[in-house]
């Protein structure tokens, strides 16, 4: 848990430095240089990772976990179709059909690991709409900032620098939450503080989108001024762009609470052999949320004929899109709160079921080992009579 929190803190600190430096270079030095620096940095990072790949792998992989997971799911579905009428009486979970004890092809521990991953799918699914709200920073919030007054007492503020406002809550909250977890909650504490952090984060994201809608209404009441942006003269609202800071702050608070909490749930309730797959699935659902956000914008644009997500912001009603997204996020938050209680019992189920099954499998392995060594001791061609007596 500690490493997860500080990992996100370091990521956000690096992001803040990058946003400030790249924005300053693009505005004051050279615009194209701002694109060249990230490209060279990523290329050097990939080369470095490839060169040190052998040193970073501290444990050799044991088979292909992804293929094992898909194999367990496919084998369980196949046996479910074959033994459909016996499903409710023989097993308590449909994945149990893949176990060797029930005619499957996989061991007890492999199936139990896959079950722990499947139990987290509701958590992943409820992150889709949340990611749609987070993606408003480079889309809707960007448009609002671009159509606001960027001139602050003679200094022309880069639009990308507004992202730093959403990073500041993470830099402040992560150390505070880490100290709070260390002082108040031990490692044996149940999962409710984590689920509460996630619910609070989703609520903060809902407030961010709602506040963005209200500030969009307020922005239109300011008189229009002319502003030069990227060599083009635009008519924008005279409202200072710093007035949009609350919506960035709420979304930053949401990200500071949700991202480490989801990672902590994955690390806590999944065994080590499948933890990497769980993180990849979580990333897959986050990407699905970004794609669904783009799809929602296109649907809203088409359905409203460009009114809810307009080409010219002052001529449309972007606030309606924000209120619609806030209502979706509110329903998503209530749904997650309803199913979050199941994560409180995951640790108990893991202790009683999964660890018990692992213990049984370890005992079977020890039994096989004893039989193996016993067969060696009985073979005179390998050992001398004195060694056999020993």
């Amino acid at each position: 848990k500690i490493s997860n929190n500080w990992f996100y803190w370091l990521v956000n600190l690096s992001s803040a430095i990058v946003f400030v430096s790249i924005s300053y270079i693009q505005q004051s030095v050279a615009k194209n240089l701002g694109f060249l620096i990230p490209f060279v940095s990523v290329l050097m990072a990939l080369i470095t990772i490839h060169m040190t790949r052998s040193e970073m792998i501290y444990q050799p992989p044991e088979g292909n976990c992804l293929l094992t997971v898909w194999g367990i799911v496919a084998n369980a579905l196949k046996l479910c179709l074959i033994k459909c009428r016996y499903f409710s009486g023989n097993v308590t979970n449909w994945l149990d059909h893949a176990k060797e004890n029930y005619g499957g092809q996989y061991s007890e521990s492999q199936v139990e690991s896959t079950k722990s991953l499947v139990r987290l799918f509701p958590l992943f699914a409820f992150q889709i709409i949340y990611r749609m709200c987070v993606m408003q920073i480079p889309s809707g919030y960007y448009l609002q900032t671009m159509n606001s007054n960027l001139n602050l007492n003679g200094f022309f503020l880069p639009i990308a620098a507004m992202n730093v406002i959403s990073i500041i809550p993470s830099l402040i909250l992560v150390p505070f939450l880490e100290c709070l977890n260390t002082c108040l909650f031990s490692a044996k504490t149940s999962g409710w503080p984590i689920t509460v952090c996630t619910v609070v984060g989703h609520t903060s994201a809902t407030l961010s989108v709602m506040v963005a809608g209200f500030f969009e209404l307020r922005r239109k009441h300011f008189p229009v001024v002319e502003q030069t942006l990227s060599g083009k003269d635009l008519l924008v609202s005279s409202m200072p762009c710093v007035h949009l800071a609350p919506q960035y702050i709420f979304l930053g608070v949401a990200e500071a609470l949700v991202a480490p909490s989801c990672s902590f749930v994955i690390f806590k309730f999944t065994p080590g052999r499948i933890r990497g797959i769980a993180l990849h699935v979580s990333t897959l659902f986050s990407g699905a949320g970004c794609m669904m956000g783009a799809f929602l914008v296109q649907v809203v644009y088409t359905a409203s004929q460009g009114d809810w997500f307009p080409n010219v912001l002052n001529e449309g009603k972007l606030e309606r899109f924000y209120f619609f997204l806030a209502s979706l996020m509110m329903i998503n938050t209530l749904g997650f709160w309803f199913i979050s209680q199941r994560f409180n019992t995951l640790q108990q189920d893991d202790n009683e079921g999964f660890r018990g099954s692992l213990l049984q499998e370890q005992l079977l392995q020890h039994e096989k080992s004893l039989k193996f060594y016993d067969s060696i001791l009985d073979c005179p061609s390998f050992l001398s009579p004195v060694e056999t007596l020993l």
Side-chain angles (χ1 to χ4, degrees), residues 21-84:
S21 59
I22 296 299
S23 299
Y24 175 78
I25 290 173
Q26 283 185 323
Q27 175 180 314
S28 303
V29 182
K31 181 179 180 180
N32 294 331
L33 187 61
F35 295 101
L36 181 62
I37 292 177
F39 172 77
V40 175
S41 301
V42 172
L43 183 62
M44 293 179 61
L46 292 176
I47 295 175
T48 304
I49 292 174
H50 179 74
M51 294 176 61
T52 61
R53 180 171 56 92
S54 59
E55 298 180 2
M56 292 188 294
I57 301 177
Y58 62 92
Q59 183 178 1
E62 300 177 357
N64 195 325
C65 293
L66 182 60
L67 291 180
T68 302
V69 170
W70 285 113
I72 291 173
V73 174
N75 188 238
L77 289 175
K78 178 181 177 181
L79 293 178
C80 280
L81 295 176
I82 297 176
K83 304 177 182 180
C84 183

Side-chain angles (χ1 to χ4, degrees), residues 40-216:
V40 175
S41 301
V42 172
L43 183 62
M44 293 179 61
L46 292 176
I47 295 175
T48 304
I49 292 174
H50 179 74
M51 294 176 61
T52 61
R53 180 171 56 92
S54 59
E55 298 180 2
M56 292 188 294
I57 301 177
Y58 62 92
Q59 183 178 1
E62 300 177 357
N64 195 325
C65 293
L66 182 60
L67 291 180
T68 302
V69 170
W70 285 113
I72 291 173
V73 174
N75 188 238
L77 289 175
K78 178 181 177 181
L79 293 178
C80 280
L81 295 176
I82 297 176
K83 304 177 182 180
C84 183
R85 54 181 177 176
Y86 304 109
F87 174 76
S88 59
N90 289 345
V91 296
T92 57
N93 191 287
W94 65 277
L95 286 173
D96 289 335
H97 285 287
K99 294 181 180 179
E100 295 175 344
N101 298 335
Y102 296 99
Q105 303 176 359
Y106 297 91
S107 64
E108 184 91 5
S109 61
Q110 289 176 327
V111 176
E112 292 297 329
S113 299
T114 304
K115 287 169 64 175
S116 65
L117 173 62
V118 173
R119 289 173 184 173
L120 296 180
F121 267 69
L123 172 67
F124 300 149
F126 279 100
Q127 301 307 309
I128 293 179
I129 298 181
Y130 167 74
R131 284 296 157 190
M132 293 167 60
C133 294
V134 174
M135 288 305 297
Q136 293 308 308
I137 287 183
S139 57
Y141 290 5
Y142 179 90
L143 292 177
Q144 279 186 292
T145 307
M146 184 179 66
N147 286 270
S148 301
N149 188 8
L150 297 173
N151 192 347
L152 299 178
N153 297 326
F155 176 74
F156 193 78
L157 184 68
I159 300 174
M162 292 292 293
N163 292 346
V164 179
I165 299 177
S166 65
I167 298 175
I168 292 176
S170 296
L171 299 178
I172 298 175
L173 286 178
V174 167
F176 173 76
L177 292 176
E178 184 59 40
C179 296
L180 185 66
N181 290 333
T182 304
C183 298
L184 298 182
F185 306 112
S186 63
K188 298 181 180 179
T189 307
S190 61
W192 70 265
I194 302 301
T195 57
V196 168
C197 285
T198 307
V199 171
V200 173
H202 285 192
T203 304
S204 181
T206 306
L207 292 175
S208 174
V209 182
M210 292 183 63
V211 169
F214 287 121
F215 274 109
E216 178 61 19

Side-chain angles (χ1 to χ4, degrees), residues 90 127 134 187 196 205 227 250 263 283 288 321 373 385:
N90 289 345
Q127 301 307 309
V134 174
V196 168
Q227 181 172 264
F250 276 120
S263 297
T283 304
F321 171 76
Y373 287 115

